[in-house]
Amino acid sequence: MTASRIPTEGELLWRPAAADIDSAQITSFVAWLAEHRGLHFPDYPSLWRWSVDETEAFWGAVWDYFRVISDAPWERVLDPGRTMQDARWFKGTRTNYAEHILRHEAHAAAGKIAVWHCSEQRELGGLSWQALGDQVRKLATSLREMGIGPGDRVVSYMPNVPETLVAMLATVSIGAIWSSAAPEFGVKTVVDRFSQIEPRLMFVADGYSFSGKTVDRRDFAQAIVERLPTLQAVVWLPCVGLECRLQARARIVEYTQLLQRPSIERSEFRFERVAHDHPLWVLFSSGTTGVPKAIVHGHVGVLVELLKVMHFHLNVDSDACMFFYTTTGWMMWNTLTAGLLAGSSVVLYDGNPMHPGVDRLWRIVEASGATLFAASPGLVQKMKASGLRPAQDFDLSRLRTVLLGGAPSTPEHYHWLYEEVGSRLWVTSQSGGTEVCSSLVGGVPTLPVYAGEIQAACLGMAVQAWNDNGDPVTDETGELVVTRPFPSMPLFFWNDAGHRRYTESYFSSWPGVWRHGDQIKFNARGGAYVYGRSDATLNRYGVRIGTAEVYSCVEQLDGVQDSLVICCEYADGSSFMPLFVLLAPDRELDEALTSRIVGRLKQEASPRHAPDAIYAVPAIPYTLTGKKMEVPVRKILLGADPDKVASRDTMANPAALDWYVGFADTLRRSDRPSRMSARGS
């Protein structure tokens, strides 16, 4: 690969050195299986096949390998139940997720940092393992004294700061159930989530900083508290230094007051070890279309799954330092903080990733000594477009791994990272989601890296691509399905009588098989390509096209900063596929650029990838988690009420949707477009 040539999809970019393979966490596990189980696996595919064919043996080995702490041994690794969603794991055990994080405190050297943290107002600081454990024990004891106990719901409306992490661990350590919303969410969005689970206590921050501005959230907090009648206590955090003026029926106490007590020794603190099916936390679906699903995960299922992912698929250990750019309203926050399960340090950043400059995140990577950096492909694309050259401008000598997640990655993203960040990096991608709180397909540190390709299905995940007939396919795009249970499946959805909504969401297409909702392709060597959500798939004359295929062509063109493509299908059988492009400030959508866009799509993809019309737009709408809002835009263009299909509180740029609402009105007043020429805004 040369510096000037973009690699093609599937082109070899990197191979691990022998030393990389020997030192990998997954290599140690394979050696342990040989010694303790008499099992020998010559390569990753054979290990993966065993992990899904012998489900109980694999997960039982994970339990033993990581010395999971339980008051009682498991009666059976997997109780399959009548249906896949009824599966229960490690029945008879009593564990606590937070205990497995804080057990690293006992082995950490004095002063070793567990949590690096900074914001637009806070310089980079560190919280040692000892300080983290001390604060968690103090806060947990205070919560117990306030009457909070096992099964109680504790919710948070706070930014990505260490106080939020401490609050989560304290809540979980006493068996209460955690749930979090990011402070950039609006009142309705938060109430739609939290009202479903009837919380007893809420952590609230006064505001947060973004793009150099202080965002006051006191009025929002007041409105949220008023609409949650089950609250008995509110814990107030003056995060940006604003005066508390909250009024509530519930008791109000300041966060720091709950820590003003003598230190509690590790031996004197009791973690609440809970049953195998006890809820750990409630995560919520994005809520872009309707009331968010309240997804309940359990202690033991999340624990064994994230122990597996952190060690075997992200290859982190006690010498690692993980930095994911995320907010507290996204499952990536839960995944980031799970790095502590491996004894790794984690980095929390609260603020705009591009403020005061596009290099903001790389400055944090350098300052924290991060060994693993994770970001969305969208952020990488912006860095690339800006001309940023991180390897030249920063000391990245500790950086070993870059993880792409949150959206499909392209060969161009991989290429830029290898060219401008480090040629010996392990660049990997993953795909999973809130529902599984983990990855279904992801990285393997002992395998080669190919351009745009996710390396493999994760261990214990019986993942396949199925065609419309329910047949497994290779080298063909199909539905991402999981054919066997896995520990981090939701226990249930909150207030979902008879598991009706749960079943409809994942098991309505093929009973007994999890349909994830993504379009995926596996090749013969086991590598995977995710092409976007199934419900955003473009149906062109009977041929299904992933939106990522369009973006990978269009967004590499000079002058195109971003894009969004949808396909509207009408009752009479006709369709309309517009492409919306966000152009550089000095560019316009003239015939020359239009021809280049169409020509590239036809040449590098197929004639079916060429849109019916191209429009220059002022913005591309995104969710707060960095996903393009393809489905809501398509529904709006088909006549749906914008307020019913898109929650602006969950959008990164709420005003971005206005242009599309106006465009939909214009579309309805005119004859339906068909094979239209390019139009500007």
Side-chain angles (χ1 to χ4, degrees), residues 329-581:
W330 187 17
M331 58 79 61
M332 286 297 287
W333 185 83
N334 303 71
T335 305
L336 167 61
T337 58
L340 297 167
L341 283 171
S344 168
S345 301
V346 299
V347 183
L348 310 180
Y349 169 62
D350 190 65
N352 185 337
M354 297 290 169
H355 179 83
V358 71
D359 61 355
R360 174 58 167 158
L361 298 183
W362 294 106
R363 292 184 181 277
I364 298 173
V365 170
E366 178 184 57
S368 64
T371 61
L372 187 155
F373 171 57
S376 70
L379 279 176
V380 171
Q381 182 64 28
K382 290 179 181 178
M383 294 171 186
K384 177 179 179 294
S386 74
L388 188 65
R389 310 195 73 180
Q392 290 190 10
D393 298 332
F394 301 100
D395 177 6
L396 305 180
S397 56
R398 279 182 49 83
L399 187 65
R400 302 195 299 260
T401 306
V402 173
L403 173 67
L404 295 168
S409 302
T410 67
E412 291 82 3
H413 297 134
Y414 283 61
H415 175 74
W416 182 79
L417 288 166
Y418 277 114
E419 288 289 312
E420 302 297 348
V421 181
S423 61
R424 286 305 305 161
L425 285 174
W426 173 37
V427 176
T428 184
S429 181
Q430 57 83 36
S431 184
T434 302
E435 304 91 334
V436 303
C437 199
S438 186
S439 303
L440 296 173
V441 290
V444 181
T446 57
L447 293 180
V449 171
Y450 298 91
E453 185 174 310
I454 300 174
Q455 288 174 286
C458 292
L459 294 176
M461 297 295 189
V463 183
Q464 296 178 347
W466 280 17
N467 63 20
D468 290 341
N469 297 323
D471 300 319
V473 293
T474 302
D475 290 322
E476 180 182 324
T477 303
E479 289 283 348
L480 191 163
V481 300
V482 189
T483 60
R484 299 188 183 183
F486 51 93
S488 65
M489 288 174 59
L491 294 174
F492 52 87
F493 290 175
W494 204 273
N495 290 333
D496 181 24
H499 296 301
R500 180 186 61 82
R501 200 177 183 198
Y502 187 4
T503 302
E504 289 176 354
S505 296
Y506 306 109
F507 297 100
S508 58
S509 297
W510 296 288
V513 174
W514 176 288
R515 175 184 173 273
H516 195 61
D518 280 344
Q519 288 283 295
I520 194 169
K521 179 178 72 177
F522 285 99
N523 57 31
R525 62 172 170 261
Y529 300 90
V530 174
Y531 293 115
R533 298 294 296 172
S534 301
D535 47 9
T537 300
L538 310 171
N539 189 337
R540 294 292 275 171
Y541 318 116
V543 177
R544 294 195 296 183
I545 298 170
T547 56
E549 299 174 56
V550 175
Y551 303 144
S552 65
C553 289
V554 173
E555 293 172 15
Q556 301 309 313
L557 289 169
D558 182 44
V560 179
Q561 292 186 334
D562 206 350
S563 62
L564 184 141
V565 65
I566 63 166
C567 189
C568 297
E569 299 169 356
Y570 300 104
D572 62 4
S574 63
S575 65
F576 172 53
M577 191 174 99
L579 170 66
F580 305 102
V581 292

